[in-house]
Amino acid sequence: MAIIPNIIFAILLALGVGFFAKNVKKLLRNIKLGKDVDVSDNTSQRWKNMAMIALGQSKLVRRPISGFLHVVVYVGFIIINIEVLEIIIDGLFGTHRIGLNVLPSAVYGFLIGTFEVLAVLVFIAVVVFWLRRNTLKIARFWKSEMTVWPKNDGNYILYFEMVLMALFLIMNATDVHFQELNSGNIISQYIAPAFSSLSVSTLHLIERGAWWLHIAGILVFLNYLYYSKHLHILLAFPNTYYGSVKPQGEFNNLAAVTKEVKMMMDPNVDPFAAAPEGSEDDVPEKFGASDVQDLNWVQLLNAYTCTECGRCTSECPANQTGKKLSPRKIMMDTRDRLEEVGKNIDANKGVFTDDGKQLLGDYITNEELWACTSCNACVEACPVSIDPLSIILDMRRYLVMEQSAAPVELNNMMSNIENNGAPWPYNQMDRLNWKDE
Amino acid sequence: MSELLKVPTMAEYTAQGKQPEVLFWVGCSGSFDDRAKKITKAFVKLLNKAKVEFAVLGTEESCTGDPAKRAGNEFLFQMQAVTNIEVLNAYQVKKIVTACPHCFNTIKNEYPELGGNYEVMHHTQFLKTLLDEGRLTIEGGKYKGKRITFHDPCYLGRANNVYEAPRDLIRKLEAELVEMKNCKRNGLCCGAGGAQMFKDAEKGDKEVNIERTEQALDVKPQIVAAGCPFCNTMMTDGVKAKEKESDVQVMDIAELIANAQDL
Ligand code: SF4
Ligand code: SF4
């Protein structure tokens, strides 16, 4: 019968990991709804970006206070999770603190001691985060796109981390054997006296309870990620790898347009010649993006990676001067629409069925799109290499090339360029007049 | 003074069977906008002074397509790009300098894929090279000791990581360079980019150029230095709106250097 806890543990673990895997599959499928884009270039620069920006958090620390706190939570959380390895082995094989059997007790004590110190640091950082978020009224956490769920989501994960850290320390404090060892209980030795009046068997119950809740909590946490902005814990890595390695000012040239322009300019091409059978020309290309499927998969990965931190929006000149545009909202809208499309596909046996909605109009308005100055401040500010500007540009392309829906003044500007090669109504033949004025 | 300006065209160079050292891409603003034309002339004076063999395309130049591209009209952009590239390649242009960061960015980054490969420099980078090579000397003159702040153009700074060339030139004027709250990679846009120059702003509670001008005025400069004709217009309008035009001038770096030497 002693084997029953091990079986329960194995089932719990399989369920937790299995459900997570299912959601990851869904996530990948949704991201693959995006168009293909070539990201095979500059691999060494890409690895470097990932190491610096995701692992090294180089962009986060540009805001020193929140950056420092984040590094504490991040490093602490990753290192403490090494402990999970021990928990899993113990859980599956019915051992207790297997680490003590395989490591010299001084080494084991050092490891657990480090985890305990980190647990306290993480706990403190998380409390400060909570205070910043809820009592300091930091503007970027209170913008209009921060509706009920995004606000709660931000807090839930903080509670989660507080509870997990507390459970870890309680588990150690109530482990009589571990306390007797007196190696590695740097913090928990001060918590242990709080339980000293309890009997050994009660202590054991508390210890077991904390142990089970800790591992269950971690599995729940893992599965909560998919429904939360905290996916960035995982996606920050691929996202910084696939992020742009070009100068920020360089906007992509649409290949489909290049083809048509070359054809128009080349006197040798017969514009009426039929396209060869089976070529892409059979499908009329749609220019720009009106829905998530028109974006490329890196842009969709961007949307899932967004941490909703609002650094982009707080640097955005349009947002700073009261315009509706918020680059964070562009990313959140893209993700929410993509989730909606994914659910639609699930509900309709794997095929998307028109729901009369799209990203443009139902989520993102023309007014937001036209307020952008293409200044790249959002791109520069993002700690995980997200490019909201590329989505804005692709949607403008749709508005202009598919709908001719540019503001009147822009249409005037464009017809001037078309007719006389300048955005103003001046004659190209007068271009050198300044010389003699 | 205009008779002093030597502005040969590519056509003239080619007619003589010669190739200039560099092509000066004037840009639409530099060609037609009254304020920007002054910048163009100041830069030409410096080129003449340094005896740089340069040429312009003149009437063969056309909009790079930047505002069309950023407004979303990729067709118009690529038509402009392909047309310009044909002209540039026909003249076998290798090196281009321009006083407009938008032209700079577009030709440097977006033309290569369409067949236009050139070495492209912003005029502040080019002037810096002339200085380093000893072909041009810069003296403080009337700007010695003046408080100057530099507004980073988005398409020069963040877009292409050029932050130091303009600042080095300002320091050479023996001026006191003061930085705004948002500068270099955190620079705040003037509000003109992304084709905003050509339309009214969306509803909000402030104009972007006013916000940026306030940041500039906060550091109490005597001169706001710019490196882009569009930023220049936006900041000039901002200073006017704040009724500070009698205390604060908005000047391009090329103008500062040319004026300092009474060119
Ligand atoms: S590029 Fe557009 S969205 Fe991004 S910060 Fe600038 S104005 Fe805002
Ligand atoms: S796009 Fe980047 S900067 Fe903006 S909210 Fe998302 S993670 Fe933060």
Side-chain angles (χ1 to χ4, degrees):
Chain A
M1 280 304 111
I3 202 173
I4 286 181
N6 307 359
I7 294 173
I8 296 177
F9 184 89
I11 292 172
L12 199 68
L13 190 67
L15 278 179
V17 174
F19 197 64
F20 175 70
K22 197 176 141 229
N23 276 335
V24 168
K25 247 177 83 186
K26 204 179 278 177
L27 184 82
L28 291 176
R29 182 207 58 197
N30 289 356
I31 289 173
K32 282 193 197 139
L33 292 175
K35 289 191 181 161
D36 204 14
V37 53
D38 183 20
V39 283
S40 59
D41 56 333
N42 291 298
T43 38
S44 64
Q45 182 61 41
R46 290 175 183 281
W47 284 112
K48 217 172 110 198
N49 285 351
M50 188 168 100
M52 295 288 295
I53 302 171
L55 199 62
Q57 316 228 314
S58 59
K59 280 191 148 184
L60 259 150
V61 294
R62 284 187 192 170
R63 295 206 181 181
I65 301 174
S66 57
F68 173 73
L69 292 170
H70 190 275
V71 169
V72 169
V73 174
Y74 168 74
V75 172
F77 210 70
I78 287 188
I79 295 182
I80 294 166
N81 272 316
I82 298 175
E83 165 71 8
V84 175
L85 198 68
E86 184 183 45
I87 294 188
I88 290 175
I89 297 174
D90 283 347
L92 287 175
F93 301 104
T95 48
H96 183 68
R97 291 195 185 264
I98 179 84
L100 269 175
N101 298 346
V102 291
L103 296 172
S105 74
V107 175
Y108 185 78
F110 172 77
L111 279 177
I112 300 290
T114 312
F115 299 160
E116 287 201 350
V117 172
L118 284 170
V120 172
L121 291 179
V122 170
F123 193 90
I124 295 170
V126 167
V127 170
V128 179
F129 268 147
W130 187 90
L131 290 172
R132 275 169 58 84
R133 200 168 260 277
N134 295 284
T135 62
L136 280 186
K137 300 277 170 203
I138 291 172
R140 63 188 160 108
F141 297 134
W142 297 88
K143 296 268 175 189
S144 58
E145 65 268 23
M146 296 308 281
T147 47
V148 179
W149 167 248
K151 271 202 197 120
N152 287 343
D153 180 25
N155 282 330
Y156 289 161
I157 214 87
L158 295 178
Y159 301 143
F160 239 110
E161 285 170 29
M162 289 184 214
V163 170
L164 285 179
M165 293 305 115
L167 285 171
F168 174 67
L169 290 171
I170 291 173
M171 176 181 97
N172 285 354
T174 51
D175 187 332
V176 182
H177 176 64
F178 175 68
Q179 289 300 328
E180 275 168 0
L181 214 64
N182 206 15
S183 157
N185 55 346
I186 305 184
I187 306 290
S188 56
Q189 60 179 299
Y190 300 106
I191 306 173
F195 299 96
S196 57
S197 57
L198 302 174
S199 70
V200 174
S201 59
T202 320
L203 276 181
H204 183 69
L205 270 179
I206 297 178
E207 191 268 336
R208 284 292 88 194
W211 186 91
W212 278 99
L213 282 173
H214 186 68
I215 186 66
I218 282 173
L219 290 174
V220 173
F221 183 91
L222 185 69
N223 281 289
Y224 178 70
L225 292 184
Y226 178 75
Y227 304 95
S228 152
K229 66 171 185 132
H230 292 86
L231 257 182
H232 77 268
I233 296 175
L234 306 170
L235 296 186
F237 292 89
N239 203 70
T240 46
Y241 180 88
Y242 292 119
S244 173
V245 284
K246 296 190 211 142
Q248 283 175 14
E250 179 177 343
F251 292 9
N252 67 333
N253 293 322
L254 283 185
V257 171
T258 312
K259 214 165 57 188
E260 295 203 17
V261 168
K262 288 250 156 84
M263 218 143 73
M264 279 162 76
M265 308 285 286
D266 184 352
N268 299 323
V269 173
D270 174 5
F272 302 107
E277 196 74 25
S279 76
E280 317 163 33
D281 292 323
D282 291 349
V283 196
E285 182 93 37
K286 172 176 173 182
F287 297 114
S290 62
D291 210 347
V292 286
Q293 296 97 322
D294 306 324
L295 296 169
N296 68 48
W297 64 263
V298 174
Q299 290 170 314
L300 300 185
L301 173 64
N302 277 189
Y304 274 126
T305 308
C306 178
T307 75
E308 299 173 10
C309 69
R311 290 172 183 227
C312 52
T313 295
S314 73
E315 298 291 333
C316 172
N319 194 277
Q320 280 178 21
T321 54
K323 277 82 175 180
K324 280 221 181 92
L325 173 63
S326 160
R328 167 172 59 189
K329 178 176 174 291
I330 300 286
M331 299 320 299
M332 292 168 68
D333 284 343
T334 305
R335 180 201 56 206
D336 292 348
R337 173 60 183 160
L338 182 55
E339 270 296 290
E340 186 176 59
V341 167
K343 288 199 182 109
N344 178 312
I345 292 175
D346 290 334
N348 293 294
K349 303 188 184 69
V351 259
F352 178 70
T353 318
D354 189 13
D355 57 356
K357 285 209 241 169
Q358 57 174 12
L359 184 59
L360 179 67
D362 296 302
Y363 287 82
I364 299 172
T365 59
N366 296 14
E367 182 182 340
E368 292 162 67
L369 297 172
W370 291 119
C372 174
T373 72
S374 76
C375 73
N376 267 304
C378 51
V379 180
E380 182 67 39
C382 182
V384 287
S385 306
I386 288 170
D387 183 353
L389 174 54
S390 73
I391 297 181
I392 295 172
L393 183 74
D394 280 338
M395 295 184 77
R396 278 188 180 186
R397 284 170 169 167
Y398 178 83
L399 285 176
V400 171
M401 292 193 283
E402 296 283 346
Q403 299 203 309
S404 309
V408 181
E409 306 110 297
L410 288 190
N411 280 333
N412 291 341
M413 175 271 286
M414 292 187 284
S415 52
N416 284 327
I417 295 181
E418 214 172 317
N419 298 327
N420 29 282
W424 301 286
Y426 296 112
N427 193 317
Q428 188 166 3
M429 287 304 129
D430 295 336
R431 251 188 128 90
L432 201 48
N433 291 2
W434 56 268
K435 179 170 77 131
D436 308 306
E437 279 170 8
Chain B
M1 67 163 188
S2 53
E3 60 268 35
L4 295 175
L5 290 184
K6 285 197 297 268
V7 192
T9 60
M10 273 316 280
E12 288 159 14
Y13 260 96
T14 312
Q16 296 169 23
K18 288 200 299 187
Q19 189 72 14
E21 174 185 343
V22 64
L23 174 93
F24 171 28
W25 184 276
V26 184
C28 300
S29 193
S31 305
F32 293 123
D33 181 86
D34 284 334
R35 178 69 189 83
K37 282 191 259 188
K38 294 195 184 133
I39 304 171
T40 308
K41 288 185 196 169
F43 183 55
V44 167
K45 283 178 200 163
L46 293 171
L47 292 175
N48 285 164
K49 172 107 191 289
K51 302 203 169 50
V52 175
E53 296 211 339
F54 75 98
V56 297
L57 283 177
T59 56
E60 291 182 276
E61 188 185 281
S62 188
C63 176
T64 59
D66 159 86
K69 185 175 184 97
R70 271 144 258 270
N73 196 335
E74 184 72 7
F75 263 109
L76 183 52
F77 161 71
Q78 291 202 14
M79 291 291 287
Q80 289 298 115
V82 171
T83 315
N84 283 325
I85 290 169
E86 249 173 37
V87 176
L88 291 167
N89 288 354
Y91 282 124
Q92 300 183 344
V93 171
K94 301 273 174 320
K95 188 168 175 178
I96 299 175
V97 62
T98 175
C100 173
H102 294 265
C103 300
F104 167 73
N105 176 69
T106 305
I107 302 175
K108 176 173 168 287
N109 294 323
E110 290 159 2
Y111 277 21
E113 211 181 65
L114 301 169
N117 292 286
Y118 322 101
E119 183 194 343
V120 191
M121 292 178 100
H122 185 246
H123 70 317
T124 56
Q125 293 175 305
F126 191 76
L127 290 172
K128 178 77 180 20
T129 324
L130 292 180
L131 186 76
D132 293 344
E133 289 169 352
R135 297 168 70 186
L136 186 73
T137 49
I138 296 182
E139 45 204 83
K142 62 173 111 168
Y143 299 115
K144 201 167 167 176
K146 286 250 155 75
R147 261 176 97 81
I148 302 183
T149 190
F150 178 65
H151 163 77
D152 288 280
C154 300
Y155 277 88
L156 184 66
R158 259 191 306 274
N160 288 293
N161 285 315
V162 179
Y163 301 111
E164 289 313 318
R167 287 182 168 78
D168 286 345
L169 294 173
I170 294 174
R171 285 191 202 100
K172 280 282 169 197
L173 289 168
E174 296 167 77
E176 184 193 351
L177 176 63
V178 283
E179 295 291 358
M180 289 182 239
K181 184 176 93 191
N182 284 348
C183 63
K184 300 188 183 170
R185 70 177 174 215
N186 298 322
L188 180 70
C189 179
C190 70
Q196 294 296 339
M197 183 74 191
F198 306 99
K199 61 183 265 296
D200 287 329
E202 274 55 38
K203 209 162 82 19
D205 43 39
K206 208 182 204 176
E207 295 290 338
V208 176
N209 68 328
I210 301 294
E211 177 78 19
R212 184 53 166 169
T213 305
E214 286 172 357
Q215 286 194 351
L217 295 179
D218 277 349
V219 296
K220 309 226 166 339
Q222 287 156 301
I223 294 163
V224 176
C228 168
F230 297 103
C231 298
N232 196 308
T233 304
M234 292 309 240
M235 298 305 282
T236 305
D237 290 350
V239 170
K240 273 195 203 129
K242 292 259 136 193
E243 296 177 349
K244 284 277 190 243
E245 66 264 46
S246 50
D247 312 330
V248 182
Q249 280 180 294
V250 181
M251 303 274 273
D252 191 89
I253 291 189
E255 292 179 301
L256 292 176
I257 299 173
N259 286 355
Q261 327 203 358
D262 283 321
L263 287 180

